[in-house]
């Protein structure tokens, strides 16, 4: 298997390499790819050094799989070029997610939709992946009518510049700003850019991607996305309204049997998910499970995951594993 990692020197690209190594993904030839300024540099993978290639060099090598995390513009321009030489692209940008005919995959939920013909496969946004992984089995059992989600997002979701901004501010050092405002000792209700409807792009990703993955445009979703001074993972307060009645024991039972989900839910022992503990883990953690007593069939959840792992790199590598296992590449 020839595997290209496009954006190999970026934050998500580095985690992709780490996850590929950890999961022992079978690679005969690794092709790290990055922008012109990194071409020729060396990166290390499983104790060996590899030279970083340009996008056109990588296309010439005709990889079987290309994991992309290099931004939407690069993906729009280059994913079709890889597709043209027979590569299957798994893309972490938002470029293809809502394009009709392109599949938006969280393997535990909908990998069965994939066929050999899918040459550009979209990885959902981090905040969507962790939420839908928990919601999919609950939707199946009790049918979700409405979702109200508020996110508490890690600076690592913005990128290295934001991680550095937080570190600089904590150390009292002046430096470049990734945000319009200080992030240390702050909460910024502004993730990605504002749209005409008053929501941010990040908030609308939660709306549109959730409906697409759960294959149900009738689910009403409203979101508020907030950046907070953590770097290990995203947290989400999720309020649900179901069509059917449920018992909390049924919810806990379903979630404790859901692949990729870990229940951390015991108020007696102060057990609940937190980003400091979800960091560097591949699972999605859920807790604070309780009825919303203000509405019929209402439920509250608190969901946490490492946004660079299950929210990006791990999910992409799991898609690649599914393709290989089912002879789809
Ligand atoms: C974030 N949506 O802002 C991003 C990362 N994909 O956290």
């Amino acid at each position: 298997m020839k595997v290209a990692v496009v954006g190999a020197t970026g934050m998500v690209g580095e985690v992709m390499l780490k996850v590929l190594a950890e999961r022992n993904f079978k690679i005969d030839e690794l092709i790290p790819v990055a922008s012109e300024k990194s071409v020729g540099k060396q990166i290390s993978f499983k104790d060996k050094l590899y030279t970083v290639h340009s996008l056109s060099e990588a296309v010439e090598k005709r990889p079987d799989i290309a994991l992309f995390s290099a931004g939407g513009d690069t993906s729009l321009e280059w994913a079709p070029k890889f597709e043209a030489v027979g590569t299957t692209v798994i893309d972490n940008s938002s470029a293809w997610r809502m394009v009709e005919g392109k599949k938006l995959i969280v393997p535990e939920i909908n990998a069965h939709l994939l066929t050999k013909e899918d040459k550009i496969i979209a990885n959902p946004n981090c905040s969507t992946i962790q939420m839908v992984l928990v919601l999919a089995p609950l939707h199946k059992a009790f049918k979700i009518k409405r979702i109200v989600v508020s996110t508490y997002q890690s600076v690592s979701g913005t990128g290295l510049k934001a991680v550095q901004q937080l570190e600089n501010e904590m150390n009292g050092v002046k430096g470049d700003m990734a945000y319009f405002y200080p992030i240390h000792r702050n909460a910024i209700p502004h993730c990605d850019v504002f749209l005409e409807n008053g929501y941010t792009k990040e908030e609308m990703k939660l709306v549109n991607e959730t409906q697409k993955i759960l294959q149900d445009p009738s689910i009403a979703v409203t979101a508020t996305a907030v950046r907070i001074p953590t770097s290990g993972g995203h947290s989400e307060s999720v309020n649900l309204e179901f069509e059917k009645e449920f018992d909390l024991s049924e919810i806990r039972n379903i979630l404790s049997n859901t692949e990729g989900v870990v229940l951390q839910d015991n108020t007696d022992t102060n057990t609940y998910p937190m980003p400091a503990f979800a960091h560097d883990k591949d699972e999605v953690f859920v807790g604070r499970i309780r009825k919303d007593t203000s509405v019929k069939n209402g439920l509250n959840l608190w969901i946490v995951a490492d946004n660079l792992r299950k929210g990006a790199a791990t999910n992409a590598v799991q898609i690649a594993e599914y393709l290989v296992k089912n002879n789809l590449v």
Side-chain angles (χ1 to χ4, degrees):
M1 191 66 42
K2 255 192 231 179
V3 178
V5 175
V6 178
T9 56
M11 274 186 96
V12 173
E14 280 179 8
V15 183
M16 280 174 169
L17 290 166
K18 198 169 158 189
V19 173
L20 285 167
E22 275 172 16
R23 296 171 78 96
N24 240 332
F25 189 89
K26 195 179 164 331
I27 299 180
D28 303 305
E29 187 180 342
L30 175 72
I31 310 161
V33 183
S35 59
E36 291 301 330
K37 66 177 192 301
S38 298
V39 171
K41 280 189 185 161
Q42 304 260 288
I43 61 126
S44 131
F45 179 72
K46 286 190 167 179
D47 298 328
K48 267 177 69 183
L49 288 176
Y50 292 80
T51 304
V52 173
H53 293 275
S54 68
L55 278 152
S56 43
E57 285 167 347
V59 171
E60 273 169 34
K61 286 178 172 282
R62 297 169 174 261
D64 299 293
I65 292 177
L67 300 173
F68 263 60
S69 191
D73 291 342
T74 303
S75 181
L76 281 175
E77 185 183 346
W78 287 90
K81 295 183 185 173
F82 279 87
E83 178 182 19
V85 298
T87 304
T88 302
V89 172
I90 301 166
D91 181 46
N92 191 49
S93 79
S94 60
W96 304 95
R97 289 179 188 151
M98 296 311 298
V99 174
E100 225 185 289
K102 295 285 182 263
K103 293 179 186 157
L104 187 59
I105 300 293
V106 178
E108 297 89 336
I109 302 174
N110 60 357
H112 61 274
L113 299 176
L114 292 170
T115 68
K116 267 198 167 137
E117 279 62 56
D118 294 309
K119 289 299 192 189
I120 301 178
I121 300 164
N123 210 36
N125 189 39
C126 43
S127 44
T128 309
I129 293 177
Q130 65 183 71
M131 183 173 82
V132 292
L133 194 63
V134 173
L135 267 40
L138 301 182
H139 183 50
K140 216 171 174 182
F142 307 110
K143 191 154 177 26
I144 298 171
K145 273 169 57 178
R146 181 166 187 250
I147 305 170
V148 181
V149 50
S150 302
T151 70
Y152 303 68
Q153 299 191 203
S154 149
V155 291
S156 60
T158 310
L160 202 55
K161 195 173 168 190
V163 176
Q164 266 156 7
Q165 179 182 333
L166 175 58
E167 261 171 37
N168 286 342
E169 288 171 0
M170 284 180 355
N171 296 322
V173 173
K174 274 214 176 322
D176 285 350
M177 302 272 282
Y179 304 113
F180 295 114
Y181 299 99
I183 184 67
H184 182 44
R185 295 183 170 152
N186 202 4
I188 306 176
H190 179 180
C191 300
D192 209 329
V193 296
F194 283 109
L195 302 171
E196 268 181 17
N197 64 1
Y199 285 78
T200 59
K201 239 183 177 177
E202 186 77 3
E203 290 161 348
M204 291 313 295
K205 285 175 191 171
L206 276 154
V207 177
N208 298 325
E209 295 179 18
T210 298
Q211 292 172 338
K212 181 164 176 173
I213 297 163
L214 298 183
Q215 290 183 288
D216 190 346
S218 77
I219 302 176
V221 189
T222 187
T224 303
V226 181
R227 193 73 61 189
I228 59 160
T230 52
S231 64
H234 289 353
S235 307
E236 296 176 337
S237 163
V238 180
N239 176 260
L240 302 171
E241 244 184 278
F242 293 107
E243 216 146 277
K244 299 186 191 155
E245 283 182 17
F246 64 87
D247 281 332
L248 287 180
S249 60
E250 293 175 289
I251 301 283
R252 291 200 177 94
N253 189 33
I254 289 171
L255 293 179
S256 46
N257 288 300
T258 300
E259 192 191 338
V261 171
V262 175
L263 212 60
Q264 290 182 331
D265 188 45
N266 187 347
T267 49
D268 292 342
T269 55
N270 301 322
T271 302
Y272 32 73
M274 285 177 279
F277 302 101
H279 181 52
D280 232 9
K281 307 239 167 57
D282 287 318
E283 295 87 359
V284 171
F285 301 88
V286 59
R288 298 296 323 279
I289 299 172
R290 61 211 191 276
K291 286 210 171 181
D292 171 358
T293 51
S294 71
V295 73
K296 194 166 170 249
N297 304 333
L299 180 75
N300 287 314
L301 304 169
W302 176 250
I303 302 171
V304 180
D306 185 325
N307 52 301
L308 298 184
R309 281 197 169 244
K310 185 56 183 169
T314 303
N315 197 72
V317 173
Q318 286 174 320
I319 295 172
E321 286 173 343
Y322 182 91
L323 295 173
V324 172
K325 191 168 163 211
N326 293 280
N327 292 317
L328 301 178
V329 277

